[in-house]
Amino acid sequence: MINIIDYGRGNLHSVQKALERLGAEVRVSSKPEDILSAAKVILPGVGAFGDCMGNLERYGLVPAIRETAASGKPLLGICLGLQMLFEGSEEDPGVPGLGIFPGQVKLIEAPGLKIPHMGWNSLTWRQESILFRGLPAGSFVYFVHSYHAVPEDASLVTAVTEYGGAVTAAVGQGNVQAVQFHPEKSGTVGLQILKNFKEWQP
């Protein structure tokens, strides 16, 4: 069972439908007990960092997410779900993130280019990740974001994309993996990433 965390901020149903097309058993729930009992967990997110963290706090989900990360069970962050894994964001200074990974989320610096970074862009691998198994370097995925994660430990970055310089596209360590782009909007490449997560047996 894959549990997609429902806290009022995320592309829940498009992610759910994509996984179900792949044959996954999926539950969408905001109950901490459902998160803790699931075999795998997905943390989606769209909108502002502070709003998303505020909703996680209101739903009482922060301890369950941290416990899942510490448990060894696969946890996948998508878009703002990646950013919230870090300690904080320039988007909402003073709002603490989940703190699962050390580092901050910062505004993309891309002089002469539009922010947000929106549309299709290619990936460059930095570290091996279960999510990218079977995908060629240079695979294209769909982004919509103005901020990106800057980990204290650069080895957490598993993929980058170029947008006025290297922009963090994916991070991961052990059972916790995350992507800044939207796999559910990224065609066959995105489906392969979700399939890899579905089939992952750490």
Side-chain angles (χ1 to χ4, degrees):
M1 171 69 71
I2 298 174
N3 192 99
I4 301 174
I5 300 174
D6 180 6
Y7 62 103
R9 289 285 190 274
N11 274 347
L12 308 180
H13 298 297
S14 53
V15 175
Q16 179 184 9
K17 288 178 181 177
L19 285 165
E20 288 174 345
R21 284 201 302 272
L22 295 167
E25 185 181 2
V26 183
R27 175 177 63 206
V28 176
S29 175
S30 59
K31 296 179 180 178
E33 59 267 30
D34 287 342
I35 295 167
L36 294 172
S37 67
K40 299 177 183 179
V41 175
I42 294 178
L43 174 61
V46 294
F49 184 92
D51 289 343
C52 286
M53 281 305 306
N55 276 24
L56 288 183
E57 293 281 1
R58 279 189 288 277
Y59 280 82
L61 296 173
V62 170
I65 296 168
R66 287 178 174 153
E67 187 173 334
T68 297
S71 73
K73 286 193 295 189
L75 171 62
L76 172 63
I78 295 177
C79 195
L80 229 138
L82 176 152
Q83 296 180 16
M84 291 188 294
L85 296 174
F86 288 85
E87 295 168 305
S89 173
E90 288 183 348
E91 185 175 20
D92 288 291
V95 176
L98 292 165
I100 292 166
F101 291 146
Q104 295 289 321
V105 175
K106 299 186 178 182
L107 184 67
I108 296 170
E109 294 183 10
L113 297 175
K114 290 182 179 179
I115 300 295
H117 169 217
M118 182 181 298
W120 294 85
N121 210 339
S122 61
L123 297 174
T124 299
W125 313 138
R126 285 288 175 86
Q127 303 287 342
E128 185 176 349
S129 170
I130 184 68
L131 298 180
F132 303 138
R133 185 170 293 173
L135 292 175
S139 292
F140 277 78
V141 290
Y142 189 80
F143 291 87
V144 183
H145 65 127
S146 299
Y147 296 82
H148 75 125
V150 181
E152 286 184 10
D153 180 358
S155 71
L156 288 174
V157 178
T158 57
V160 297
T161 194
E162 282 292 321
Y163 198 71
V167 171
T168 301
V171 298
Q173 186 176 67
N175 63 302
V176 182
Q177 302 287 325
V179 295
Q180 179 61 62
F181 52 87
H182 288 276
E184 76 282 3
K185 296 181 179 179
S186 297
T188 56
V189 170
L191 282 176
Q192 182 64 48
I193 289 168
L194 292 174
K195 182 174 185 283
N196 288 340
F197 181 72
K198 168 184 170 284
E199 296 176 350
W200 184 15
Q201 300 295 332

